[in-house]
Amino acid sequence: MRSMLWDIFCRVIDNHGDLGVCWRLARDLAARGERARLWIDDATALGWMAPERPGGIDVCVWPMGDVDVQPGDVVIEAFGCDLPPAFVARMAARQPVPRWINLEYLSAEDYVERSHGLASPQFSGPGAGLTKHFFYPGFTPRTGGLLREPGLLERIAAFDGPAWLAAHGWAPQPGERVVSLFAYANQALPPLLNALADQPTLLLACPGPLQAQIADRPGLRTVALPYLAQDDYDRLLWACDLNFVRGEDSFVRAQWAGKPFVWQIYPQDDNAHYAKLEAFMARADLPDAWRAVWRGWNGLGALPARPEGLTDATAHAPAWRAQLATQPDLLSQLLWFLGAFR
């Protein structure tokens, strides 16, 4: 079967999550012999996120007006970003018309299974006559699964974390556990640092609003990391004993790492993120004591004075990863889904 051209449209929110997901999708497409155009309104973060760019991917400026290009075979509207009307009009004029996919945000809530794959015929506007389909990532067989490039778990199994840390000058001292921190602004940082200092810990802090607020103290040694390319950020997760992650992209990669982690969900003004947080903890059947740590880090209660439940979380993480790995990955499912509508 011939390769297809994919147009992926992404609007940047915080330079990390949405763009990170879309870049991983584009990379996975290119690795499987597909071609991709990533239309982005701010590509600045790709300078550090993707310093090496594989063939088969073109990064394009989000069109403010019409652009003299024929839309690809598949058009991905990432996270409901609303495609440029002139581009939609070109989609409607193309024969055959492109497959139009709205790639939704990841959630463990029940509505995802009900909504995955639903069609949305367009009866008016520049796309009249087209049909958009909703594709939901998720954690169950009735969803679109998670991005997972071929061979990922084998690469993790063969990875030498201590050697990688040492090569970067981030080796722990004898007896130190290694913790990564990638987070939004968070009032729970002081109690977290106190809890981590309960035993010798090396804290590797990624760039962000909390990085300037950490400092060495008895029991806690800190390193301010530079921006890391996606592959190196993945290796950081694989190398650490515990990972604090945020948003969507690092959330998924932490699950593939198979290490205990704490997720800081993207906050929403109406507090709808709390229901999403609880839905995932229930779906993954997180140990009860570990849920208290998650709730404390997300402002749903006091953060425990010590990271209670870490032992249970350490056993839970690889078991949860193994359960997720029984599902086909997101791109494989998306290719199958599109095949049903060719």
Side-chain angles (χ1 to χ4, degrees):
M1 184 178 296
R2 69 174 182 86
S3 65
M4 296 187 293
L5 174 60
W6 301 59
D7 284 303
I8 305 171
F9 282 82
C10 175
R11 283 196 179 276
V12 169
I13 294 178
D14 64 4
N15 284 338
H16 304 303
D18 290 4
L19 180 56
V21 171
C22 290
W23 181 252
R24 287 194 194 274
L25 175 60
R27 285 181 60 186
D28 202 354
L29 285 165
R32 302 191 198 201
E34 304 287 293
R35 295 168 295 138
R37 289 187 297 219
L38 177 58
W39 300 86
I40 183 75
D41 61 344
D42 182 359
T44 304
L46 286 180
W48 55 264
M49 185 183 294
E52 297 180 4
R53 302 183 185 180
I57 303 176
D58 292 324
V59 178
C60 306
V61 177
W62 184 284
M64 301 305 295
D66 194 14
V67 287
D68 187 17
V69 299
Q70 175 169 283
D73 304 288
V74 183
V75 177
I76 302 290
E77 181 180 352
F79 314 119
C81 62
D82 293 329
L83 301 181
F87 195 89
V88 175
R90 286 183 174 271
M91 290 166 59
R94 181 190 189 273
Q95 292 298 323
V97 297
R99 275 62 58 86
W100 184 357
I101 298 292
N102 187 339
L103 179 63
E104 286 286 352
Y105 284 108
L106 174 63
S107 176
E109 294 172 289
D110 291 339
Y111 77 85
V112 169
E113 292 187 337
R114 298 192 300 269
S115 304
H116 177 56
L118 291 182
S120 176
Q122 307 295 296
F123 296 109
S124 61
L130 297 175
T131 297
K132 180 194 309 187
H133 285 88
F134 294 91
F135 197 91
Y136 280 83
F139 306 97
T140 71
R142 293 175 59 190
T143 69
L146 303 176
L147 281 170
R148 183 179 83 247
E149 60 272 26
L152 173 63
L153 299 186
E154 291 77 10
R155 288 194 296 276
I156 295 173
F159 177 68
D160 187 338
W164 185 83
L165 289 170
H168 286 76
W170 307 328
Q173 295 174 358
E176 281 185 331
R177 67 181 169 197
V178 186
V179 179
S180 76
L181 176 67
F182 180 41
Y184 306 113
N186 196 321
Q187 295 180 349
L189 179 64
L192 174 66
L193 298 179
N194 290 336
L196 293 177
D198 183 65
Q199 76 175 67
T201 297
L202 172 61
L203 180 62
L204 304 176
C206 296
L210 298 188
Q211 193 183 62
Q213 301 176 39
I214 67 169
D216 290 358
R217 63 176 70 187
L220 182 67
R221 192 163 60 92
T222 62
V223 174
L225 299 180
Y227 282 106
L228 298 177
Q230 276 192 338
D231 286 343
D232 274 336
Y233 180 72
D234 289 349
R235 296 181 185 111
L236 176 71
L237 296 176
W238 305 347
C240 289
D241 302 305
L242 170 62
N243 295 301
F244 285 79
V245 296
R246 69 177 225 190
E248 180 166 325
D249 182 56
S250 60
F251 173 45
V252 172
R253 303 310 284 193
Q255 292 172 74
W256 292 133
K259 299 293 186 68
F261 71 99
V262 180
W263 177 36
Q264 185 183 12
I265 191 169
Y266 188 82
Q268 296 174 264
D269 292 337
D270 59 0
N271 290 331
H273 58 294
Y274 291 145
K276 295 179 183 296
L277 184 77
E278 293 290 344
F280 175 77
M281 292 193 296
R283 180 76 67 188
D285 195 21
L286 288 187
D288 289 340
W290 200 235
R291 297 189 196 197
V293 176
W294 280 47
R295 292 186 181 113
W297 186 235
N298 283 280
L300 281 171
L303 192 73
R306 286 187 284 182
E308 302 289 348
L310 181 55
T311 299
D312 290 341
T314 300
H316 174 274
W320 173 242
R321 177 178 65 184
Q323 180 177 329
L324 292 176
T326 62
Q327 289 188 69
D329 67 273
L330 185 145
L331 181 50
S332 294
Q333 292 201 53
L334 182 52
L335 289 166
W336 174 87
F337 182 82
L338 293 169
F341 295 95
R342 290 181 183 174

